[in-house]
């Protein structure tokens, strides 16, 4: 099936650990995103890559590091996890960056991260 | 950072009724998009309206855009229980999409 997929779907870990979330899209899109959705459902952009180049880098702690090995993948690595990192993290992709003709975003199912 | 705002925050209606949700934003925009999120799931793109458009239809969805008031509305006609979800607007400006807080819609059968 064509889709945006994320792994794992659930991640429970202790404070101080380092973890990664993987995202893959087989839609042939050039742009990928990471969003964080907090407990109040507010969705905030974290990073965006276009053709493996970082184009959006919001005010995010440098413990968060995205990596795009190719256009179809955008992984998120988080160092020294903190309680406040608990949230649902969504990956998304679009053909074009926001503001251009093909910028409708397609979202993955989310990764629920719980830091204890 | 700028943030869109939806109102109402929560809306409860009976099946068959129409549901109207509003979205306001603060900057000029390239386009505005509406998404639906079912509980525990990812967001699904519903409809996009560009800054030079005033109204757009897609099935039971009707979206309007008033750039002078910096607001948009999403109307769902003849609602169904399956429309129960959270609805978000996202405005796009300067290469970035900013999501609002969402409206939680409950459609009672």
């Amino acid at each position: 099936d064509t889709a945006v997929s994320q792994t794992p779907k659930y991640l429970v870990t202790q404070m101080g650990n380092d973890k990664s979330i993987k995202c893959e899209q087989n839609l042939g899109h050039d742009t990928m995103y990471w969003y964080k959705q907090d407990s109040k459902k507010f969705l905030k952009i974290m990073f965006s890559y276009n053709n493996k180049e970082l184009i959006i880098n919001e005010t995010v702690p440098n413990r968060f590091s995205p990596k795009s090995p190719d256009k179809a993948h955008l992984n998120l690595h988080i160092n020294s996890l903190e309680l406040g990192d608990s949230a649902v993290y969504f990956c998304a992709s679009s053909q074009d960056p926001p503001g251009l003709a093909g910028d409708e975003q397609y979202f993955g199912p989310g990764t629920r991260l719980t830091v204890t | 950072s700028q943030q869109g705002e939806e109102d109402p925050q929560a809306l409860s209606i009976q099946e068959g009724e129409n549901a109207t949700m509003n979205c306001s934003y603060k900057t000029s925009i390239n386009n505005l998009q509406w998404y639906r999120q079912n509980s525990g799931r990812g967001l699904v793109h519903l409809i996009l309206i560009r800054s030079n458009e005033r109204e757009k239809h897609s099935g039971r969805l009707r979206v309007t855009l008033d750039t002078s008031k910096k607001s948009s509305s999403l109307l769902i006609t003849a609602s169904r229980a399956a429309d129960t979800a959270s609805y978000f607007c996202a405005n796009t400006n300067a290469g970035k999409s900013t999501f609002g807080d969402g409206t939680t819609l409950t459609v009672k059968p």
Side-chain angles (χ1 to χ4, degrees):
Chain A
D1 290 343
T2 55
V4 180
S5 59
Q6 296 177 227
T7 55
K9 191 170 182 180
Y10 298 96
L11 183 55
V12 181
T13 188
Q14 292 184 325
M15 283 175 57
N17 285 347
D18 304 337
K19 291 292 179 185
S20 291
I21 308 172
K22 296 186 177 181
C23 177
E24 176 181 2
Q25 55 92 6
N26 59 3
L27 299 165
H29 288 168
D30 289 340
T31 308
M32 296 186 72
Y33 312 79
W34 276 109
Y35 287 89
K36 179 180 179 181
Q37 187 175 43
D38 61 24
S39 58
K40 296 182 179 179
K41 291 195 169 181
F42 176 48
L43 201 69
K44 185 174 180 181
I45 182 74
M46 299 174 69
F47 303 102
S48 176
Y49 274 71
N50 181 248
N51 283 316
K52 301 197 306 176
E53 297 288 330
L54 182 66
I55 58 172
I56 294 174
N57 185 359
E58 288 295 283
T59 306
V60 175
N62 57 15
R63 299 182 294 104
F64 290 79
S65 53
K67 284 189 171 56
S68 183
D70 54 57
K71 283 196 323 181
H73 295 85
L74 180 61
N75 303 324
L76 183 64
H77 188 76
I78 314 170
N79 289 327
S80 302
L81 278 155
E82 300 177 357
L83 292 176
D85 297 333
S86 294
V88 181
Y89 292 84
F90 286 100
C91 176
S93 73
S94 62
Q95 181 57 51
D96 294 319
L100 299 181
D103 64 351
E104 295 94 299
Q105 295 181 33
Y106 294 78
F107 281 76
T111 295
R112 184 174 292 278
L113 171 65
T114 303
V115 182
T116 61
Chain B
S1 59
Q2 296 287 348
Q3 176 180 335
E5 296 179 1
E6 283 100 338
D7 84 274
Q9 287 192 329
L11 180 61
S12 181
I13 59 174
Q14 292 294 134
E15 205 165 27
E17 293 180 340
N18 296 341
T20 299
M21 289 161 268
N22 301 298
C23 167
S24 61
Y25 55 91
K26 297 176 182 175
T27 65
S28 60
I29 60 170
N30 299 115
N31 63 55
L32 188 141
Q33 304 181 46
W34 284 90
Y35 292 81
R36 183 185 73 231
Q37 184 179 29
N38 289 82
S39 180
R41 307 287 295 275
L43 279 77
V44 174
H45 185 266
L46 295 176
I47 197 165
L48 178 152
I49 186 165
R50 301 212 175 269
S51 59
N52 61 353
E53 297 176 307
R54 292 297 167 258
E55 188 171 311
K56 205 160 182 180
H57 296 252
S58 177
R60 294 185 295 113
L61 304 180
R62 174 175 159 248
V63 168
T64 62
L65 179 65
D66 187 336
T67 52
S68 66
K69 295 181 180 178
K70 291 187 167 59
S71 68
S72 173
S73 67
L74 170 67
L75 169 66
I76 304 174
T77 60
S79 64
R80 304 167 182 168
D83 294 329
T84 295
S86 292
Y87 292 82
F88 295 86
C89 67
N91 63 81
T92 300
N93 174 50
K96 187 172 70 174
S97 290
T98 302
F99 282 77
D101 295 339
T103 292
T104 300
L105 173 66
T106 302
V107 181
K108 300 174 186 174

